[in-house]
Amino acid sequence: MQFLALSNGIKMPILGLGTYCLVGKNGQEAMDKAIQIGYRLFDTAQMYNNEDRLGNAIQSAIKGGIPRKDFFIQTKLLEANNEDSTKKSIEKSLKALKLDYIDSLLIHEPYASSKEMYKAMESFYQQGILKSIGISNFGAKAYEKFIQNCKITPMINQCETHLLLQQKPLREVMADKGTLLQSFSPFIAGKGLILENQSLRNIALKYSKTPAQVILRFLIQHGISTIPKSSKEQRMKENLNIFDFTLNAQDIQFLNSLDTNQSSFAWTNY
Ligand SMILES: NC(=O)c1ccc[n+]([C@@H]2O[C@H](COP(=O)([O-])OP(=O)(O)OC[C@H]3O[C@@H](n4cnc5c(N)ncnc54)[C@H](OP(=O)(O)O)[C@@H]3O)[C@@H](O)[C@H]2O)c1
């Protein structure tokens, strides 16, 4: 596993498991499996209704001998009205996750109350209850506006990022501010058949890898953390097995050229 250093020096695995849709008993079994395979970064959200399941999986791993400090647990806040209700909301997530600290807490998307919510996060960060804080779904303009009011610059901005939306303008804006881009939906959530792209398949063949592995490798070679979701053991292994090859400059250049700078989801607003 490779790690990225956040602006405060905390190390985060560059690749983790996205847990959207991993709910109930089956979801928890998938998380248990992922831990056995070697995943240590987990991305959940209040919206996913599975913080408690992730909490169970982490607790049983800790009982099984994996130290808490080896995990990097990230969750995301739903909208809260003000600073006080955000504090209560964070406490709810801590309880569901059965943790006394959270490695990364993000605001799930820009809300009218984001500024107030972030104040509560800064306060919990200063107390050591949150080890890092950040945002999600903030495009370049929203990011630039938001950081004007922050005492602590967000350490992570989690956004839709894949071959067709490489977030170059956002990366440029964030580059010297100390905010890392984290890619969600690296496979465009299975939409649009990106994994069937013939040129991508040809590149994958050359390295004896799969198209999914080439996409993930492309992201991490750009220094972008990513959190592919899979419920299947074989795919979880495949997605983690990307640290033994390097895409050459020509292939990177070709993959860079696939960028359309367009979101694949109707609900985003970059
Ligand atoms: N901040 C936000 O607003 C936001 C929004 C969306 C997602 N996210 C986060 O990002 C995570 C990942 O995004 P996502 O779940 O939307 O989509 P994704 O990771 O792009 O794609 C997941 C889909 O790809 C399939 N898949 C996984 N590995 C594969 C492989 N090696 N080969 C072929 N297919 C594969 C999965 O199916 P199987 O499960 O059947 O393997 C699933 O259908 C989420 O789980 C969530 O944690 C955050």
Side-chain angles (χ1 to χ4, degrees):
M1 178 57 66
Q2 284 176 21
F3 291 81
L4 288 173
L6 306 186
S7 59
N8 62 354
I10 296 233
K11 293 212 170 111
M12 171 179 75
I14 198 163
L15 186 134
L17 188 77
T19 69
Y20 179 57
C21 292
L22 298 182
V23 292
K25 190 168 162 283
N26 290 345
Q28 193 174 315
E29 279 168 11
M31 295 170 194
D32 290 335
K33 188 53 76 186
I35 295 171
Q36 279 169 29
I37 290 169
Y39 284 83
R40 294 295 177 265
L41 159 58
F42 288 84
D43 176 70
T44 180
Q46 293 178 339
M47 192 188 278
Y48 302 168
N49 283 317
N50 63 5
E51 286 179 319
D52 58 336
R53 294 292 181 171
L54 180 58
N56 294 345
I58 300 301
Q59 282 310 311
S60 87
I62 291 171
K63 279 187 196 127
I66 303 177
R68 163 68 182 97
K69 66 173 176 48
D70 287 8
F71 287 103
F72 189 98
I73 306 303
Q74 175 169 272
T75 189
K76 303 187 279 296
L77 293 178
L78 283 171
E79 184 167 22
N81 292 330
N82 54 41
E83 206 177 323
D84 273 352
S85 54
T86 304
K87 287 183 178 169
K88 289 195 181 94
S89 170
I90 297 172
E91 275 155 8
K92 247 175 105 177
S93 277
L94 280 160
K95 196 169 168 204
L97 288 163
K98 300 165 193 72
L99 298 176
D100 53 11
Y101 70 88
I102 293 171
D103 299 276
S104 165
L105 182 71
L106 312 179
I107 296 180
H108 205 134
E109 56 187 312
Y111 300 122
S113 56
S114 292
K115 207 168 121 182
E116 293 307 302
M117 290 174 68
Y118 199 73
K119 278 189 197 156
M121 291 163 67
E122 287 176 327
S123 157
F124 274 57
Y125 173 76
Q126 273 150 354
Q127 294 169 57
I129 298 168
L130 303 175
K131 300 298 176 191
S132 66
I133 53 178
I135 52 183
S136 177
N137 290 301
F138 281 63
K141 273 192 194 146
Y143 170 81
E144 281 195 296
K145 192 167 167 223
F146 184 73
I147 61 169
Q148 285 170 16
N149 297 304
C150 298
K151 276 199 262 171
I152 301 164
T153 303
M155 290 147 201
I156 295 169
N157 186 7
Q158 182 188 100
C159 291
E160 177 191 350
T161 310
H162 43 71
L163 290 178
L164 306 186
L165 176 59
Q166 299 183 15
Q167 298 284 12
K168 284 179 197 152
L170 179 61
R171 274 150 61 195
E172 273 165 27
V173 167
M174 296 199 303
D176 60 347
K177 308 243 171 20
T179 306
L180 292 181
L181 175 62
Q182 185 174 65
S183 142
F184 75 68
S185 302
F187 310 139
I188 321 183
K191 282 176 55 158
L193 302 178
I194 189 69
L195 297 172
E196 309 301 321
N197 179 294
Q198 194 53 51
S199 306
L200 178 64
R201 290 169 81 107
N202 292 342
I203 293 175
L205 268 178
K206 209 164 69 180
Y207 294 91
S208 302
K209 289 287 178 183
T210 64
Q213 288 171 320
V214 169
I215 291 172
L216 299 175
R217 183 73 209 178
F218 171 78
L219 291 168
I220 70 161
Q221 278 186 227
H222 276 296
I224 301 171
S225 158
T226 186
I227 44 165
K229 173 260 170 184
S230 181
S231 53
K232 300 187 173 65
E233 179 175 357
Q234 204 44 46
R235 285 178 172 173
M236 286 183 201
K237 285 184 179 159
E238 177 185 330
N239 296 345
L240 204 55
N241 183 16
I242 57 160
F243 298 101
D244 60 352
F245 76 114
T246 304
L247 295 166
N248 68 30
Q250 198 188 350
D251 292 330
I252 290 281
Q253 200 180 5
F254 170 75
L255 296 169
N256 282 342
S257 77
L258 298 180
D259 190 9
T260 62
N261 201 29
Q262 297 291 315
S263 171
S264 296
F265 304 117
W267 56 269
T268 56
N269 185 20
Y270 292 115

